[in-house]
């Protein structure tokens, strides 16, 4: 599986609208070239994308000005959009240059899980953050996840130091930190329709039975990984749409990748693509996780 991914990554290119040249895609197997990569899956987001990108790039630029060691890239993965999403994204490439902003075109719609996976496999960061194109979570909250990764890395590093003389780089330590909206649950329950609450409670129960306890909010689209953790997780992940988040939690447990949850601010943004019928698709995908891994049909490569 890893060799197949390596080949697939090496054959891909980014388009540079500034020079009209093709820039070879890097591989998650290569050493990190940036401090942080932000992977933003986008499907028909021409109207919500500009605000999210502007806010994100302003924040990253401010940090890079204040700290010269802070390098970044934003990777927009256009998941087969039928609107002007790619045109909007390429305008930001022109403005901020292809070293800082890149667009990956998937050609046809695969699903959010596949868009995130492809972005992760082509990212250059020591840290990799997935975030939604609707701007529902404030990008400044990435500092909370980042701080948690550094804290956990120091713990792992100190335990390694006792058993070995060499020190590890941040990108070599396997850690996953998940943004969480669990602290907002009471407020959400009060504002949602009763049948939505019923379906969501049922969904959370199935998630608990599938991935086990530990992470209260598996579906928040704001997750950060070290490079080595992302390499293991996203070369194994199978689900392409709704429940890839749950599969990530499942894989973290199976691969013994330390994971933790951090509360983030979150705003309901109009235009959600989740429908009630989506819950049925989600439950089906959760069953796939149980069957695929439980029966050994899906192998896990470490």
């Amino acid at each position: 599986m890893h060799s197949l991914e390596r080949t697939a990554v090496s054959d891909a290119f980014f388009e540079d609208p500034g020079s009209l040249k093709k820039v070879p895609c890097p591989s998650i197997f290569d050493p990190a070239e940036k401090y942080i990569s932000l992977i933003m899956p986008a499907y028909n987001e021409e109207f919500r994308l500009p605000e999210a990108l502007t806010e994100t790039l302003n924040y990253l630029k401010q940090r890079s000005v204040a700290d010269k060691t802070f390098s970044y890239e934003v990777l927009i993965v256009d998941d087969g959009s039928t609107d002007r999403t790619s045109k909007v994204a390429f305008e930001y490439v022109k403005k901020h240059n292809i070293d800082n902003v890149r667009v990956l075109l998937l050609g046809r719609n695969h699903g959010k899980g596949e868009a995130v996976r492809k972005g992760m496999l082509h990212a250059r960061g020591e840290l990799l953050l997935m975030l939604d194109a609707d701007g529902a979570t404030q990008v400044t909250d990435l500092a909370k996840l980042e701080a948690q990764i550094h804290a956990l890395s120091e713990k792992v590093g100190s335990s390694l130091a006792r058993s070995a003389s060499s020190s590890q780089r941040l990108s070599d330590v396997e850690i996953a930190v998940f943004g969480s909206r669990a602290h907002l649950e009471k407020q959400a329950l009060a504002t949602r329709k009763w049948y939505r609450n019923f379906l969501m409670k049922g969904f959370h129960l199935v998630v608990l039975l599938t991935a086990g306890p530990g992470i209260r909010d598996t579906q928040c689209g704001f997750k950060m990984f070290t490079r080595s953790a992302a390499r293991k997780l996203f070369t194994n992940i199978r689900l392409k749409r709704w429940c890839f988040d749950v599969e990530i939690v499942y894989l973290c447990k199976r691969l013994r990748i330390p994971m933790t949850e951090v509360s983030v601010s979150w705003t309901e943004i109009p235009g959600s693509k989740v429908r009630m019928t989506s819950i049925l698709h989600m439950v089906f995908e959760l069953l796939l996780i149980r069957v695929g891994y439980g029966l050994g049909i899906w192998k896990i490569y470490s």
Side-chain angles (χ1 to χ4, degrees), residues 120-163:
M120 291 283 174
L121 294 179
H122 295 303
R124 293 175 288 167
E126 288 184 72
L127 299 178
L128 294 86
L129 174 78
M130 55 171 273
L131 71 166
D132 291 335
D134 60 6
T137 307
Q138 290 181 5
V139 68
T140 51
D141 276 355
L142 78 79
K144 295 181 183 178
L145 279 63
E146 180 188 359
Q148 194 64 35
I149 280 189
H150 280 281
L152 287 171
S153 177
E154 285 178 16
K155 281 186 182 178
V156 173
S158 62
S159 64
L160 285 171
R162 288 194 290 270
S163 59

Side-chain angles (χ1 to χ4, degrees), residues 14 66 146 215 234:
F14 290 114
E146 180 188 359
I215 300 298
F234 291 96

